Amino acid sequence: MNQDEMKRRAAQAALDYVEGGIIGVGTGSTVNHFIDLLAGIKGRIDGAVSSSEASTARLTRHGIAVFDLNAVGELSLYVDGADESNHRLQLIKGGGGALTREKIIADASQRFVCIADDSKLVDTLGRFPLPVEVIPMARGHVARQLVKLGGTPVWREGFVTDNGNLILDVRHLSIEDPLAIEQQINAIPGVVTVGLFARRPADVLILGGPDGTKTLT
Ligand code: 5RP
């Protein structure tokens, strides 16, 4: 079984958490499976709040209504993928560059169900380069501050976020204390969002693997 099939398994299992109303929908290849599967039960929900233009387009193609978060308020459920999760369900996200809207929707949701293939579970976060969304004029300044924290930032050249900003992917950070690192990077002027989800981790992690799915809470 390949990685994509394992992602689809996790996405399928997340359908059990869909109870109705308007749900939050993340971004990425795992979520794409979720959106495609959600289309099969779209009569059960009123619509979705989307974390990216890409997911909005996919939801719309399936005839699922997309709402502005401002018009909806708090959500009962958010389903999204991750680049890494530790056993406390603290995450690295933003491989697809949608981290800011993802973090907003996660924070606005009562339950965050994260879906991934089982290769994403790690003991310590940081093997995956940590994405940081920055205001364009602050790119160099933020990069220098990240070096002072021990990281090696690499500008994701040619990529502009849905919010018109840039991404720095930070390697070699030792993320023993994800909450502290999240706060430190958030505090650098020019940083819009750091892709560490430690203050607001997932509530449920569904991992797809060759033998089925495993759920961590
Ligand atoms: C996008 C994300 C994605 O959830 C993350 O990159 C995982 O993607 P995939 O499901 O394609 O492995 O954070 O910003």
Side-chain angles (χ1 to χ4, degrees):
M1 169 169 278
N2 65 34
Q3 193 180 19
D4 196 54
E5 288 164 337
M6 295 191 266
K7 289 179 179 194
R8 190 175 173 87
R9 275 193 167 168
Q12 173 80 51
L15 291 182
D16 290 346
Y17 291 83
V18 177
E19 287 174 348
I22 296 171
I23 68 168
V25 173
T27 299
S29 56
T30 317
V31 168
N32 283 345
H33 284 304
F34 177 73
I35 294 172
D36 295 347
L37 292 161
L38 187 65
I41 58 159
K42 65 182 180 189
R44 232 198 263 175
I45 59 168
D46 296 322
V49 170
S50 165
S51 71
S52 64
E53 302 301 328
S55 289
T56 296
R58 201 175 188 99
L59 287 158
T60 305
R61 275 202 304 277
H62 281 302
I64 298 171
V66 177
F67 293 87
D68 185 321
L69 182 62
N70 291 306
V72 173
E74 197 171 74
L75 300 169
S76 54
L77 175 68
Y78 179 48
V79 178
D80 197 0
D83 299 301
E84 276 185 358
S85 173
N86 66 17
H87 293 264
R88 298 168 67 187
L89 311 195
Q90 296 169 316
L91 312 171
I92 286 184
K93 289 185 48 53
L99 60 165
T100 296
R101 297 186 190 187
E102 292 173 342
K103 204 176 248 199
I104 294 167
I105 301 176
D107 203 50
S109 300
Q110 285 166 8
R111 183 185 248 177
F112 175 7
V113 174
C114 183
I115 51 177
D117 69 87
D118 62 9
S119 71
K120 304 284 184 77
L121 184 66
V122 297
D123 289 329
T124 307
L125 298 173
R127 193 181 55 205
F128 190 91
L130 177 65
V132 180
E133 180 167 352
V134 299
I135 299 286
M137 72 162 282
R139 174 170 56 86
H141 172 70
V142 173
R144 286 188 290 277
Q145 307 315 304
L146 291 168
V147 169
K148 286 182 194 163
L149 292 178
T152 308
V154 176
W155 175 23
R156 202 183 291 180
E157 280 193 74
F159 184 87
V160 177
T161 71
D162 286 346
N163 312 306
N165 297 315
L166 306 177
I167 299 280
L168 296 171
D169 292 302
V170 192
R171 295 164 198 276
H172 307 133
L173 269 184
S174 156
I175 311 183
E176 300 295 336
D177 185 345
L179 194 55
I181 299 279
E182 181 177 12
Q183 285 167 347
Q184 270 177 310
I185 296 179
N186 268 336
I188 302 170
V191 168
V192 177
T193 303
V194 54
L196 263 176
F197 286 53
R199 188 187 70 81
R200 202 302 178 222
D203 301 301
V204 177
L205 174 63
I206 304 174
L207 295 169
D211 302 322
T213 57
K214 190 170 148 187
T215 301
L216 279 65
T217 55

